[in-house]
């Protein structure tokens, strides 16, 4: 089926990278949909770490994971994704297959609690360091809310400057979204 959202498009691509036994990070768990996707694909032998700064988001994610009867392959942190390198046990460093970022605010919640360029960039740097070779960081960027366009520019500039011999960056966008485009970046570690 043709994707009608940027995230379903991203997931159709990530499915190729995320196999049973894989290790993944959901850098912004929010309502838990992306964590469920990662947990399901990683399966009982895999592992998923999730981060969000809002307690409600972590609770909502935990509830959704339990409702879906997924294997207990997940660990959630109510903490900023900028702390992922310190919080993820060292045995997983360099072994992460996928890190998903879904930036912006939590739909249906306080729209002033948003991801911020400075912490997002710190987290993306950490994510790239934690990846295995062939691993992918995906970043969904929304520029339509206050603060969104600054983050959009900062993340795209950072990714555009990554060493071509170490990483490949592919960008897609939903170009005809009224008001502003929604962008998706895929960064693969070579
Ligand atoms: C667009 S929502 C994520 C949607 C989610 N992936 C889902 O499947 O429902 C963005 C989330 O980022 C969270 N957030 C904001 N700053 C953060 C940070 N520094 N670290 C981790 N999460 C953060 C917000 O609380 C919000 O829940």
């Amino acid at each position: 089926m043709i994707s009608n959202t940027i995230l379903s498009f991203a997931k159709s691509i990530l499915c190729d990278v995320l196999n049973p036994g894989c290790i993944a990070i959901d850098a912004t768990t929010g309502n838990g949909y992306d964590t469920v996707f990662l947990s399901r694909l990683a399966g009982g032998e895999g592992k998923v770490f999730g981060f969000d700064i809002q307690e409600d988001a972590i609770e909502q994610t935990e509830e959704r994971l339990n409702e879906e009867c997924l294997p207990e392959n997940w660990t959630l942190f109510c903490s900023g994704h900028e702390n992922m390198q310190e919080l993820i046990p060292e045995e997983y460093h360099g072994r992460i297959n996928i890190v998903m970022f879904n930036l912006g605010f939590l739909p249906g919640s306080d729209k002033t609690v948003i991801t911020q360029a400075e912490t997002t960039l710190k987290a993306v740097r950490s994510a790239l360091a934690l990846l295995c070779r062939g691993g992918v960081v995906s970043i969904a960027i929304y520029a339509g809310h206050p603060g969104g366009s600054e983050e959009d520019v900062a993340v795209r500039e950072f990714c555009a400057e990554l060493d071509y011999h170490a990483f490949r960056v592919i960008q897609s966008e939903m170009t005809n979204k009224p008001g502003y485009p929604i962008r998706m970046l895929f960064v693969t570690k070579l």
Side-chain angles (χ1 to χ4, degrees):
M1 195 185 88
I2 297 201
S3 302
N4 60 1
T5 70
I6 203 89
L7 277 168
S8 56
F9 169 70
K11 286 173 183 169
S12 68
I13 295 197
L14 296 178
C15 273
D16 275 351
V17 186
L18 193 61
N19 300 307
C22 274
I23 309 168
I25 300 174
D26 185 350
T28 49
T29 66
N31 287 317
Y33 295 106
D34 300 333
T35 322
V36 163
F37 163 77
L38 295 170
S39 169
R40 181 169 289 125
L41 288 183
E45 304 297 308
K47 181 77 197 164
V48 178
F49 297 98
F51 293 85
D52 206 292
I53 52 169
Q54 298 194 67
E55 255 171 50
D56 283 358
I58 292 292
E59 277 168 23
Q60 172 73 20
T61 298
E62 194 166 351
E63 229 170 81
R64 200 173 295 284
L65 285 160
N66 286 326
E67 269 169 24
E68 298 279 337
C69 301
L70 291 163
E72 285 208 15
N73 60 358
W74 42 271
T75 302
L76 304 177
F77 297 103
C78 187
S79 172
H81 41 216
E82 60 275 18
N83 304 316
M84 67 171 73
Q85 240 169 331
E86 295 85 70
L87 290 174
I88 290 179
E90 253 178 61
E91 62 182 289
Y92 293 100
H93 291 201
R95 294 178 51 211
I96 307 288
N97 301 92
I98 289 190
V99 185
M100 282 185 86
F101 287 83
N102 187 352
L103 302 177
F105 56 85
L106 181 61
S109 177
D110 183 353
K111 292 190 178 168
T112 61
V113 183
I114 55 167
T115 53
Q116 308 275 348
E118 194 185 334
T119 39
T120 300
L121 289 186
K122 183 174 180 217
V124 172
R125 269 192 212 98
S126 298
L128 295 176
L130 292 171
L131 280 187
C132 63
R133 283 173 173 234
V136 177
V137 171
S138 72
I139 314 171
I141 319 175
Y142 311 86
H145 58 277
S149 63
E150 289 83 349
E151 185 177 45
D152 176 47
V153 171
V155 172
R156 285 187 299 119
E157 277 181 4
F158 171 81
C159 290
E161 284 167 13
L162 286 170
D163 179 2
Y164 181 74
H165 300 291
F167 298 99
R168 293 293 152 82
V169 183
I170 295 179
Q171 178 181 313
S172 331
E173 67 178 36
M174 188 177 274
T175 311
N176 66 340
K177 171 96 174 54
Y180 60 93
I182 302 180
R183 298 200 172 83
M184 196 73 227
L185 292 176
F186 299 96
V187 184
T188 303
K189 188 171 186 171
L190 300 182

